[in-house]
Amino acid sequence: MFRPNVGRRARMGPNAGRNGQGIALMLMLMQQIQQLERKPPVTLGLMALMYGLHFQKQQTPEIFAPYSLCPDRVIGHWDLTRIVVSGLIHVDDWHLYHNMISFLWKGYNLEYKMGSLRFLLTVGCLLVLCHVLVVIVAVVLATGFQMPGPLYQCSVGFSGVLFALKVLLNHNSPTFSSVYGFRVPTKYAAWLELVVIHFLVPRSSFMGHMCGILAGYIYVYSSAMQSILSSGAGALSRWIGAIVGPINNRDNTTSPRPSRTPTSSFETDEDLARRLQEEEYRANRPPQPHPEQSVPEHISSSELRRRRLARFGNGY
């Protein structure tokens, strides 16, 4: 999440779409998507939604300016739309690209394990929970600790959800990860990343990222929330199946696709990216001839004609 460095009534970010930077970054992201051995539909759909909103924001920034997450506006005017919409819009092209490249790897892993519908509900739940926590923490700091600053800070972006997904992905990992040169247990990597990003990116929302981590832990240790989301995903699946099922059942001739081995639950973003790059290298590497396999000889057309005539003469 980023805090816009302009006034509330001004534009939230530069119109960077005119110089083609946004298109170039989107093409780089599409190259990463092409490397995936399976395409997570919900992850890609949410990415497309956020890219569509971002390009529209560049054309009409005044429409999206009122949707940044401002705790005082949420409390004072009960403007609850800010809780959801603020997480889907971004400050600039680089902000969007970095969030989407991170969301791609997390969605690739988690959507396969959870299922698409449950993953969709989980992302929506984490988005709302993270931003509600931002509002609650801001109110507590303003009323209980005489720190009104966070109450009037506005932020946008999907980073809070990404921190929550990182907790879901790595909370029980026994491995170690390298975060900006520091080697730490993977299950605690989100906390170190929280501190490092706060100092490296001054405009980032420390409270938004921290609330994302808290939302992730609330989900992990709340069996009731997981049960509700699982039941909701099952009900939604049955409802969709009742509508779409008869249409899909007509196509019974399609051969089933081979099942794929699920990604390890302890695989980090860096490990997954490295594995995909290695698989792409192996796929693009030209096949080597077997040592005992004879390589066809390249001969000219005149020599080929001579050999055919020789075989014809020997046969008769």
Side-chain angles (χ1 to χ4, degrees):
M1 301 177 70
F2 268 78
R3 298 193 304 269
N5 58 351
V6 294
R8 287 181 179 172
R9 298 182 182 274
R11 298 184 178 184
M12 291 189 296
N15 191 348
R18 296 178 180 177
N19 57 13
Q21 176 180 265
I23 300 297
L25 292 175
M26 185 178 66
L27 293 177
M28 292 171 57
L29 182 62
M30 292 179 64
Q31 290 180 351
Q32 298 295 325
I33 295 174
Q34 291 176 355
Q35 296 181 21
L36 301 179
E37 58 184 275
R38 58 180 182 271
K39 307 299 188 291
V42 169
T43 301
L44 298 181
L46 291 175
M47 291 170 59
L49 172 63
M50 283 182 270
Y51 257 98
L53 292 175
H54 181 69
F55 287 135
Q56 182 61 40
K57 182 177 76 71
Q58 291 178 341
Q59 302 299 323
T60 56
E62 64 279 357
I63 297 179
F64 293 87
Y67 290 106
S68 57
L69 182 62
C70 305
D72 65 317
R73 296 292 180 89
V74 175
I75 296 297
H77 301 83
W78 287 100
D79 193 357
L80 302 181
T81 56
R82 294 174 180 265
I83 292 178
V84 176
V85 180
S86 61
L88 304 177
I89 56 180
H90 293 78
V91 174
D92 52 33
D93 296 327
W94 281 105
H95 183 206
L96 175 65
Y97 172 76
H98 285 299
N99 278 357
M100 293 302 97
I101 200 68
S102 178
F103 182 50
L104 178 62
W105 303 128
K106 294 174 176 63
Y108 175 88
N109 202 337
L110 289 172
E111 183 174 344
Y112 184 84
K113 294 193 301 182
M114 292 183 175
S116 295
L117 292 179
R118 182 176 176 182
F119 178 72
L120 175 62
L121 296 179
T122 300
V123 170
C125 176
L126 292 175
L127 174 62
V128 173
L129 180 59
C130 170
H131 289 180
V132 168
L133 288 175
V134 170
V135 176
I136 293 175
V137 171
V139 172
V140 170
L141 291 177
T143 58
F145 297 90
Q146 303 302 316
M147 297 174 59
L151 188 63
Y152 301 99
Q153 288 180 352
C154 300
S155 59
V156 294
F158 202 65
S159 305
V161 179
L162 296 178
F163 272 91
L165 293 178
K166 183 179 286 291
V167 173
L168 269 63
L169 192 63
N170 298 326
H171 74 279
N172 60 351
S173 173
T175 62
F176 284 77
S177 298
S178 177
V179 180
Y180 298 100
F182 298 96
R183 185 171 176 81
V184 295
T186 302
K187 58 184 177 181
Y188 301 131
W191 292 104
L192 178 59
E193 188 174 349
L194 169 70
V195 177
V196 173
I197 289 180
H198 175 66
F199 288 103
L200 293 182
V201 188
R203 289 176 57 198
S204 63
S205 175
F206 179 84
M207 189 169 65
H209 295 170
M210 181 187 67
C211 289
I213 296 177
L214 295 178
Y217 279 111
I218 291 175
Y219 175 89
V220 166
Y221 293 108
S222 176
S223 57
M225 180 181 297
Q226 297 182 31
S227 177
I228 292 174
L229 292 176
S230 180
S231 300
L236 184 59
S237 177
R238 290 190 295 271
W239 179 74
I240 295 177
I243 299 176
V244 184
I247 300 177
N248 288 341
N249 288 337
R250 297 176 185 175
D251 187 11
N252 295 326
T253 60
T254 305
S255 58
R257 291 180 295 178
S259 59
R260 299 183 183 272
T261 304
T263 307
S264 170
S265 60
F266 301 137
E267 190 171 34
T268 62
D269 297 349
E270 294 79 10
D271 293 336
L272 180 59
R274 189 181 304 109
R275 182 176 64 82
L276 291 173
Q277 291 174 356
E278 291 174 353
E279 290 181 357
E280 182 187 23
Y281 171 76
R282 288 196 298 268
N284 295 332
R285 184 172 53 188
Q288 300 294 332
H290 194 274
E292 299 179 357
Q293 181 180 0
S294 60
V295 180
E297 181 184 3
H298 296 281
I299 57 178
S300 63
S301 57
S302 58
E303 177 65 15
L304 179 61
R305 190 181 306 108
R306 187 189 66 79
R307 293 185 181 183
R308 287 178 177 174
L309 291 174
R311 286 199 302 270
F312 181 82
N314 293 335
Y316 290 87

